[in-house]
Amino acid sequence: MGFQLGLPILILREKDVIDDGLLEKGVLGIYMPSEIDLSKSPEEYFDKDEIKSILDEWGSYVRSVARNKGNPPKLY
């Protein structure tokens, strides 16, 4: 539903969850480059420069949507 409304989507996939359907890379939104292993600490995953860069990119999309609130994108 969020995708249909033009909202920024961030996909976090847990380790061992099959990447099928909406969880398949490239289907929609921004995907994190690796799976999240919940047995490890969050710092091991989120302190990587690549992850921080992707989160910054997604954050800029969120801010852009907030600025354009009331002016949704034209679908066609």
Side-chain angles (χ1 to χ4, degrees):
M1 293 175 100
F3 179 74
Q4 291 175 333
L5 293 172
L7 299 175
I9 306 295
L10 178 66
I11 307 295
L12 302 169
R13 189 168 55 87
E14 185 181 348
K15 180 181 172 197
D16 298 328
V17 171
I18 298 172
D19 59 342
D20 193 22
L22 292 178
L23 296 178
E24 189 175 344
K25 282 193 177 202
V27 173
L28 66 93
I30 297 175
Y31 289 78
M32 298 306 251
S34 58
E35 302 168 335
I36 295 177
D37 187 353
L38 296 178
S39 66
K40 298 180 180 178
S41 72
E43 290 79 16
E44 289 183 51
Y45 186 78
F46 290 105
D47 280 346
K48 298 176 185 172
D49 287 337
E50 182 181 20
I51 302 298
K52 289 179 182 180
S53 172
I54 291 171
L55 289 173
D56 287 342
E57 178 184 359
W58 179 73
S60 71
Y61 291 146
V62 171
R63 287 185 291 278
S64 173
V65 167
R67 277 192 303 273
N68 294 322
K69 188 176 179 182
N71 298 314
K74 295 187 176 159
L75 300 177
Y76 48 86

